[in-house]
Amino acid sequence: METPPTMALLNGENLRRAGRDVAAPFDIEMADGERLAVEAVLRLLPGKRLTAKACFQGRSVLGKVFFARNGFRRQMKREIDGLELLHRRNLPAPLMLDNRSLAGGGGVLLIENLAPAESVMERWQSLGANEGDGEAQIKILEPLFTQVGRMHRAGLCQKDLHFANFLCHQGQLKIVDGGGIAPCRWTWQRLENLGLLAAQLPADLTRSFPRLLAAYHQGRGKDEITAESLSRAAQKQRRKRLEDYLGKTLRDSSGFCVARGFRRF
């Protein structure tokens, strides 16, 4: 009989050295000797942090592991503060279960694993051959624009706003990625943030901005953005995204990598 393979045991130092070579399953060692059993890596920023589907003390969790040599405390605090702020403003977000120190330097934030759940990105991609069906697209986008409106009404926005940061779970659209939560108090900030979302839509959906804005204003509780101003904001964000993309390509083409999972867009 073959001996089962030994599960790799990694700590902060191992993860920093691994770069992109981090393959599940493996265990992560906490500073107190406890272990987080990683089943699948959902997102990886080499040398800095990863997000994983995991098991801790017999419970299925989402583990956010921070291991940058410099700055991991700041990054972890930003994530915790963002999730706490969402809950204080009565916005739906996953529950934080625990946070621990990581052996070898770093920290681990354990978050409620929302299952079963489907991201707005997954719903969007599921259209497949029917992607050209504008009505089906609008039905997916309207709840998202309404939720963004609720965030803006609460004085918050998500700086890294994209489809994968919203999960459909038990009839609610929940907001994930607390690290991107920031104050949003002025009309120009709301327009810029909404433009970031609109810039990710196919160009032929520009004609549907009035319907999407109606959904947004339902959540916002106030009509303050026109379809024309949203169109201009989206164009500005598209230009910025293209410039950022070209800049990264010229600096280092190896900076691009594929991260599998529903929290990556």
Side-chain angles (χ1 to χ4, degrees):
M1 181 180 295
E2 292 186 4
T3 303
T6 303
M7 188 77 72
L9 178 62
L10 304 180
N11 59 26
E13 184 62 32
N14 302 143
L15 289 169
R16 282 190 291 274
R17 291 177 177 176
R20 295 187 177 90
D21 188 20
V22 180
F26 57 89
D27 286 352
I28 291 179
E29 185 181 11
M30 313 285 195
D32 60 5
E34 291 271 16
R35 293 188 180 189
L36 178 70
V38 172
E39 300 167 0
V41 175
L42 303 177
R43 186 180 184 187
L44 171 65
L45 274 69
K48 295 183 178 180
R49 62 184 183 272
L50 65 80
T51 302
K53 180 182 177 184
C55 182
F56 183 69
Q57 296 179 344
R59 177 172 182 173
S60 179
V61 299
L62 186 73
K64 293 203 170 187
V65 186
F66 303 84
F67 48 88
R69 190 174 301 279
N70 298 312
F72 77 84
R73 291 184 180 84
R74 181 181 66 255
Q75 294 167 1
M76 188 169 172
K77 183 178 185 302
R78 187 184 301 132
E79 184 75 30
I80 292 172
D81 290 348
L83 289 173
E84 287 180 343
L85 194 52
L86 289 170
H87 286 293
R88 285 202 300 271
R89 302 289 171 88
N90 295 314
L91 291 165
L95 297 173
M96 288 184 290
L97 305 175
D98 199 357
N99 65 84
R100 302 274 181 124
S101 294
L102 181 64
V108 181
L109 177 60
L110 303 177
I111 299 173
E112 172 189 19
N113 183 27
L114 301 175
E118 186 179 33
S119 72
V120 174
M121 172 57 73
E122 288 175 314
R123 288 193 170 183
W124 182 265
Q125 292 174 335
S126 72
L127 294 176
N130 297 321
E131 190 170 344
D133 183 352
E135 190 60 32
Q137 293 173 329
I138 294 299
K139 292 297 184 185
I140 291 173
L141 293 171
E142 282 178 326
L144 174 58
F145 273 72
T146 298
Q147 190 65 286
V148 173
R150 292 192 184 107
M151 291 180 68
H152 288 179
R153 182 174 61 188
L156 300 176
C157 70
Q158 208 169 44
K159 293 185 293 184
D160 185 25
L161 184 62
H162 57 74
F163 293 5
N165 277 350
F166 295 83
L167 295 184
C168 309
H169 175 67
Q170 296 181 346
Q172 274 193 317
L173 197 57
K174 295 201 172 184
I175 306 159
V176 298
D177 190 12
I181 300 301
C184 187
R185 300 186 179 92
W186 308 105
T187 302
W188 68 267
Q189 291 176 311
R190 292 187 285 271
L191 177 58
E192 185 177 81
N193 191 236
L194 196 61
L196 177 60
L197 181 61
Q200 299 168 43
L201 304 180
D204 60 358
L205 275 182
T206 301
R207 65 179 183 273
S208 300
F209 279 1
R211 282 185 62 182
L212 296 176
L213 277 172
Y216 168 79
H217 290 139
Q218 180 183 349
R220 169 76 179 118
K222 178 189 290 188
D223 293 4
E224 63 178 2
I225 294 175
T226 66
E228 292 76 15
S229 62
L230 179 58
S231 181
R232 288 193 296 270
Q235 290 172 5
K236 179 179 178 181
Q237 291 290 348
R238 289 190 188 105
R239 287 194 298 270
K240 185 175 183 296
R241 285 158 63 91
L242 178 59
E243 290 168 0
D244 289 346
Y245 174 83
L246 293 175
K248 289 176 182 177
T249 304
L250 292 171
R251 283 197 302 273
D252 180 13
S253 61
S254 69
F256 296 95
C257 63
V258 175
R260 300 179 62 186
F262 52 71
R263 287 172 175 79
R264 178 69 174 169
F265 176 38

